[in-house]
Structure formats: structure tokens, C-alpha cells
Amino acid sequence: MKIRYISISNFRGVNHFEWGLPADSVFCLVGKGDSSKSTILEAIRYCLYPNWNLSIFDSDFFNNDVTKELCIELTIGEIIPEFISDLKYGLMLRGWNKKEKKVFDEPDDSLEIVLTIRLSVSNALEPKWIVVNSRNPDGIEFKTSDRIKACVGIIGAFSERQLSWSSGSAIARITEADNIDESLVSAAREAKQTFDMNRSVLTGFDHAAKKAEVAARHFGVHVSETYKAQLDISSINLKVGGIALHDKDIPLRLLGLGSRRLVLCGIQQQNLENGHITLIDEIEYGLEPNRISRLIKCIRNDKSGQYFITTHSPIVLRELTIDELYIVHNYNGEVTIQSANDNQLRELEIQGKIRANAEAFLSKKVIVCEGATEVGFLRGFDDYLVTKAFDPFAYFGVALVDANGGGKVKKTAQVFKQLGYEVAVFADSDAQDQLSDYDCAELKALSISTFVWAGNVSIEERIMLDIPWNYVLSCLDFAINGLGIPAREQLLSVFPGTLDKQHSEWPESQDLRKLIGEVANKKKWFKNITNASILFLTISELFDSQDYSSCDLYDKMKQLKTWILNDE
């Protein structure tokens, strides 16, 4: 069985969510923290919960509002023949249009036969599972025994139960036995007999039993034979996991977390007859990069079921293809999901963008920077804001992306915008053939904020033209003494006059300011993240004063700060 459509209402952080799935096997959900990725996995698990005793609390309702019904619906395709029978759910069959990704209430020869399963919970906190359609809104009870047949398994941080023979566990589902419960009871009886045969280790227990027998007789309690220590089969309770997988004498639950998750994933794949639905929250958890790669390959090659996974790992993103990647956004409970392989994105070369900027796809806001200088400059800005008691970029979910050139800025910004991220551009204005005024106007029309310097200049030129002369000399000192750059010699090769050997003695002039900026740009004085970050910190004190607020440098950084700190 495979999921075709998901609908979630009033469940945890999700007020409303709908998703029509393509006919694929691997769905990796990514996005910033609290975007409800794990909640979607939990909703699937709850709707196909393999036990009757699902515990629901007020906190499971959106905003704790129990006046509104919690409702999760899954439309399931590739259903087993047993479910199609009129004695089961044959009267509840519906149709699924794969091309339109739409459910039709009446089955049809041109549509895939599907069933819609609904889990609903009212303020009484009693879960109710039914199979529904519009023809019969009251539905038919979807029994626990049938939910087990969906073979849903979640692989999370705590999955030891799945490695023991307990009701609905992964290992129990692949056990070839007519009646597992009967087998477990027989094993308990055998354990009792073995325990009784080894009385030598029970001397202390038997002495206590004799004292209890004397006390019982004293109070007039009839004793059939004699009291002794013995296993109580009902207390052994092998039904809830007393028998577990071992490697020789070591329980597999004692394996490392990553190894346990790999074993469980392998067990899930053994449910081949009816397929399986496997949920893996934080797939990278406990795994080294090479084992992450191996796990994803095994998942991708398994066509017998569906995998829903979440991740916060750039390593995982780089292993995925755009067909497997889905971006999740949560806007005050309204959850949306966007395929990275959307038709509108095909011309934007998104696969390369993911592999080059994987970290950014895990954020909320993205600043597309022209190059390493801009990235480093903003990192210095981030450090500066923290020293002024502002929250860091990370608090607002801001990621910095190096577009590797002005010619790539526009397309990179468009990718992130179409995937639902808040996007800004931070770039030079000196190369109109790479990022023109017309390009910036197009980006603004897409609601992409653009922070581009006035005057057709690079970031180095803008800095040297706007800051006080003593700060220009400080930047020169950093370049010459901090980075070992022969700045004077490089300037003299293009400067029409003479320059003192001591740069601290150079006289201020507008021409020299402009030339320093041009040479710094051309000779790449600060063209890496570390150097550009230090460059910002060299001039950061300027942003404490209103005296220079009229310059373009101050104005653009102030606007950018406003965009970053806006947490709506």
C-alpha cells in the first residue's frame, strides 16, 4: 500500500495541510526548524497506528484548541485485495487521478482504486479510525488488525521496541508464524519449566516462601501443597517485548543508534508482500557520511514501499536528487509543500544550487551574495550586531549564499524565491553586463529585496568612498600589515602622483579614495570570507554613529538590518 494524498487539520503545529503525492518512492522533507516536517510524519503514523491504545493530549491540537476536531486523512493506493472485498471496504472505494493528483469519490476504470482513511479526535480525546467517502460520510471502522497490514514503521531516536517481538513491531511483521501470541506464551511456559528445574539458585527465595506459607496457614489459608518461588507467566509478559533480537548474547537494542536505525530500515524492507511505509525522522542521526550515502542508495533502490524522511543535514541534501526533495513551509499553521522538481524550476538548474548551497535550503531567509567578499562582510555584520545585543542571523533563520559571481545572482535568487523562501540580494553595481538595473527591477517585481550599491561601484569602492579617511587608512593597514599585500606598489602602478612610504601619511583625496577601492577590488585584497569579515569589523564603529547616516554604505546596511530582523 502507498499513500497518494494527505490532509491534516488541527494537529500540533499544523492548522491546515494538503498534499497530493506523485508516484514516487522517496520523499525527503526539508525546511527550517518548526516547519512541521516531523509533524507530517507523525500524522501518517497516527492515521495508520498499529495499536488500539493511541494516547492523545490537548497539546496535540493546534494551539491547544480542543473545540475544533483533530483530523488526519490518508488516501491509500495499491491496496491489498482483501480490502477491496464488499465484506471489508469494497463499498468505500474511490478513484485517484495520478496526473492531476486528485481524489474522485467514485472509482473508474481510468483511475487507480484507493481508500481514504480518517483519524478524528474530538475534545473527549478518543481517537476514531474510519474509512470514508462522500457517499458514506459516517464511514466504516478501520480496525487495528487492518492498520497493521499497512506496515508503517517509524525509525526515530527511540526505536528499541521495533527490535523485539511485540504487537505491531517491525520484526513481528516479518515473523513466519501462524500465531505469534501463542508462540510467545509457549516460550514463557518453557521458561517457567527451566526456571523450576534449577532450584539451587533459589534457596533464599524458597526460605521466604516457606515463611509465607507458615503465615498463611496460621491465618487459616488452605495450602494445596507447598509454597515456592516460581515465574508467573502473566508477569513475564513476553507479549510486550520479552523476546528481542540478539547478536550472539548481546541484544541489538544495545547497538549504536546509527546501527539500530540501519537494521530497522532493513527489517522494514522485508515487508515485501504488501509493501511498506517507512518514516525516518532526521535520517542522518547517528550515521557517518559514508553510511548516510549507503542508506540513501538502499532506500532509493527499494521500490516495494514508500519512504518519508526528514533531515537537517547538508550531507543528506547533496545525496538527494531534485525528484526526492520537498520544501516545507509553515505560515502560522498553514503548511505548504513545494517539490524541488517543479516544472517552473526546470530552467533554473536547481540540482546544482542544492549541492552548492545545501545549508541554505534548511533556513527560512536567504541572502544571495554576489561573492565571498559580500558573504564575509555580512558575517562581520552579524558579529557586530551580536555585540550590540541583537539576536544573531541564525535566530531569524538567515542563511548566506555565495552566488559565485554577479551573473549568477539573479537565477540563484529566483530558485529560492520559487521554493517559498524569503530572499534578498546583496551585490555590487559595477558590472551591468552581469547584474543590471533591469535585472534588479525584475527581482523586486518578484518581491525579492535588492541591496545594490548606488553609483555603479564594487563593495570595496563603496566602502572607500563613504568612510572617514582615518578608517580608509585603517583598512590599508589591515591589507598591508595584516595580509602582507604590497598595496603601495600596486597603487603606484596606476596612481599619477607619489605616495609616502608610510601609508599613514597619505593625504586624503577623492581620486585616491576611488583608486584604493578599484585596486582592492581588482587585486582581490578582501576576496575571501575571513578577510572580508575582518574588513567589516575594522570599520564597524561607524555604525554606532549617526554622523555618517547619509552615505550609501550606512543606508544600505541599515535597510538590510531591517530586512534581517523582520521576523513576521
Side-chain angles (χ1 to χ4, degrees):
M1 291 187 279
K2 293 186 178 181
I3 298 172
R4 303 303 186 205
Y5 190 82
I6 302 174
S7 173
I8 305 172
S9 299
N10 203 36
F11 179 54
R12 297 187 182 172
V14 178
N15 187 32
H16 178 258
F17 171 72
E18 293 184 53
W19 182 19
L21 282 68
D24 293 324
S25 298
V26 180
F27 303 88
C28 181
L29 311 185
V30 302
K32 78 176 191 70
D34 301 321
S35 58
S36 299
K37 303 181 297 296
S38 298
T39 299
I40 294 171
L41 265 61
E42 280 290 88
I44 295 172
R45 185 170 76 98
Y46 276 25
C47 197
L48 297 171
Y49 199 69
N51 302 98
W52 62 268
N53 57 337
L54 174 62
S55 297
I56 299 288
F57 305 95
D58 287 2
S59 57
D60 286 315
F61 290 74
F62 179 69
N63 286 341
N64 279 14
D65 185 0
V66 297
T67 63
K68 298 178 182 177
E69 185 179 67
L70 184 163
C71 183
I72 302 168
E73 287 189 359
L74 299 181
T75 297
I76 306 293
E78 296 188 18
I79 51 181
I80 59 177
E82 175 188 347
F83 286 3
I84 300 176
S85 166
D86 287 350
L87 298 177
K88 275 285 189 178
Y89 310 112
L91 300 177
M92 308 300 293
L93 297 178
R94 309 178 83 187
W96 171 252
N97 186 308
K98 295 181 180 180
K99 185 175 181 179
E100 297 180 14
K101 299 176 187 173
K102 185 177 178 181
V103 181
F104 290 85
D105 203 54
E106 294 284 353
D108 187 87
D109 290 342
S110 63
L111 304 175
E112 180 186 6
I113 296 174
V114 294
L115 288 173
T116 298
I117 300 156
R118 175 188 296 164
L119 165 64
S120 59
V121 186
S122 66
N123 59 4
L125 305 183
E126 287 293 333
K128 180 182 179 182
W129 289 272
I130 56 175
V131 179
V132 298
N133 60 27
S134 298
R135 308 185 303 276
N136 185 355
D138 292 333
I140 297 175
E141 180 187 1
F142 191 51
K143 297 180 180 179
T144 304
S145 58
D146 289 333
R147 297 199 299 273
I148 290 174
K149 293 170 185 174
C151 295
V152 173
I154 188 162
I155 301 174
F158 305 99
S159 302
E160 291 88 346
R161 176 182 170 278
Q162 301 295 325
L163 295 173
S164 63
W165 277 266
S166 53
S167 179
S169 71
I171 190 65
R173 287 198 296 267
I174 66 170
T175 302
E176 296 179 3
D178 294 332
N179 190 322
I180 291 179
D181 286 344
E182 183 178 317
S183 299
L184 291 172
V185 169
S186 298
R189 289 171 179 155
E190 186 69 27
K192 179 180 177 181
Q193 293 176 9
T194 303
F195 186 88
D196 195 38
M197 292 172 61
N198 192 12
R199 305 302 305 178
S200 62
V201 299
L202 301 174
T203 303
F205 293 91
D206 285 339
H207 285 174
K210 289 295 184 183
K211 292 180 180 180
E213 180 184 335
V214 171
R217 292 178 184 275
H218 179 73
F219 281 91
V221 177
H222 176 72
V223 177
S224 296
E225 189 173 321
T226 185
Y227 284 6
K228 64 179 180 179
Q230 182 53 278
L231 291 180
D232 183 342
I233 294 179
S234 64
S235 296
I236 297 172
N237 205 1
L238 294 180
K239 294 182 181 180
V240 293
I243 298 180
L245 278 176
H246 284 62
D247 182 355
K248 197 175 181 181
D249 295 325
I250 306 299
L252 264 61
R253 62 181 174 79
L254 297 181
L255 288 175
L257 176 60
S259 297
R260 291 203 308 272
R261 289 161 68 93
L262 291 173
V263 170
L264 285 172
C265 194
I267 291 173
Q268 274 291 105
Q269 290 189 2
Q270 297 303 308
N271 291 293
L272 301 180
E273 183 178 350
N274 299 324
H276 60 90
I277 299 169
T278 298
L279 315 172
I280 310 179
D281 201 14
E282 304 287 0
I283 189 172
E284 69 277 5
Y285 197 38
L287 295 175
E288 304 88 338
N290 62 308
R291 294 212 288 178
I292 290 175
S293 178
R294 179 60 185 165
L295 175 56
I296 291 175
K297 286 179 181 178
C298 290
I299 287 173
R300 188 176 288 137
N301 292 334
D302 175 24
K303 305 302 180 183
S304 64
Q306 282 180 309
Y307 291 87
F308 295 85
I309 64 182
T310 70
T311 185
H312 283 108
S313 168
I315 295 171
V316 174
L317 290 189
R318 293 186 180 103
E319 291 287 337
L320 296 169
T321 68
I322 56 174
D323 296 320
E324 299 159 341
L325 184 62
Y326 295 81
I327 317 299
V328 182
H329 296 285
N330 188 327
Y331 304 98
N332 299 317
E334 296 298 311
V335 179
T336 62
I337 196 161
Q338 169 76 52
S339 169
N341 196 22
D342 189 280
N343 290 333
Q344 301 179 40
L345 295 167
R346 293 191 185 278
E347 296 181 1
L348 298 178
E349 302 171 3
I350 189 170
Q351 186 72 72
K353 300 291 188 298
I354 292 171
R355 288 181 175 151
N357 305 288
E359 292 83 354
F361 287 86
L362 306 172
S363 67
K364 175 184 178 182
K365 296 181 174 183
V366 176
I367 302 177
V368 179
C369 300
E370 179 174 325
T373 309
E374 285 74 19
V375 172
F377 197 72
L378 291 186
R379 284 194 179 185
F381 188 40
D382 185 22
D383 292 338
Y384 162 78
L385 290 176
V386 171
T387 65
K388 300 303 175 183
F390 288 99
D391 292 314
F393 286 7
Y395 176 83
F396 300 98
V398 174
L400 305 177
V401 169
D402 183 353
N404 289 308
K408 299 179 182 179
V409 167
K410 179 181 173 182
K411 186 175 285 188
T412 302
Q414 288 174 320
V415 165
F416 283 100
K417 186 62 180 180
Q418 291 201 40
L419 287 175
Y421 295 89
E422 296 177 53
V423 184
V425 163
F426 184 54
D428 295 340
S429 58
D430 60 331
Q432 288 290 307
D433 59 326
Q434 296 186 46
L435 183 67
S436 66
D437 294 339
Y438 181 78
D439 291 330
C440 291
E442 280 192 327
L443 292 174
K444 290 177 181 177
L446 295 172
S447 298
I448 296 174
S449 300
T450 58
F451 303 97
V452 177
W453 307 119
N456 297 327
V457 294
S458 66
I459 185 172
E460 294 89 346
E461 292 173 90
R462 188 73 273 160
I463 292 169
M464 299 307 165
L465 288 170
D466 284 359
I467 63 178
W469 184 248
N470 60 311
Y471 282 93
V472 174
L473 297 179
S474 295
C475 293
L476 281 167
D477 187 67
F478 168 53
I480 294 169
N481 296 319
L483 302 177
I485 294 171
R488 178 174 176 273
E489 289 75 9
Q490 291 176 1
L491 287 165
L492 281 173
S493 66
V494 291
F495 187 62
T498 60
L499 292 172
D500 194 281
K501 290 184 178 181
Q502 297 297 324
H503 62 272
S504 59
E505 301 298 322
W506 294 358
E508 178 182 358
S509 75
Q510 194 68 8
D511 288 342
L512 185 53
R513 282 174 171 274
K514 187 170 180 12
L515 190 62
I516 292 171
E518 290 174 351
V519 172
N521 177 34
K522 184 177 180 180
K523 297 297 183 179
K524 302 181 179 180
W525 291 2
F526 311 113
K527 295 294 185 187
N528 67 55
I529 291 173
T530 300
N531 294 350
S533 177
I534 298 173
L535 175 65
F536 181 90
L537 296 176
T538 303
I539 65 173
S540 61
E541 292 180 0
L542 287 172
F543 296 93
D544 295 336
S545 171
Q546 291 291 325
D547 294 342
Y548 306 99
S549 59
S550 60
C551 68
D552 189 51
L553 175 66
Y554 188 99
D555 183 54
K556 289 293 192 304
M557 298 307 295
K558 181 180 178 181
Q559 291 178 39
L560 185 56
K561 182 179 80 170
T562 300
W563 184 86
I564 291 168
L565 302 184
N566 183 2
D567 197 30
E568 294 182 357

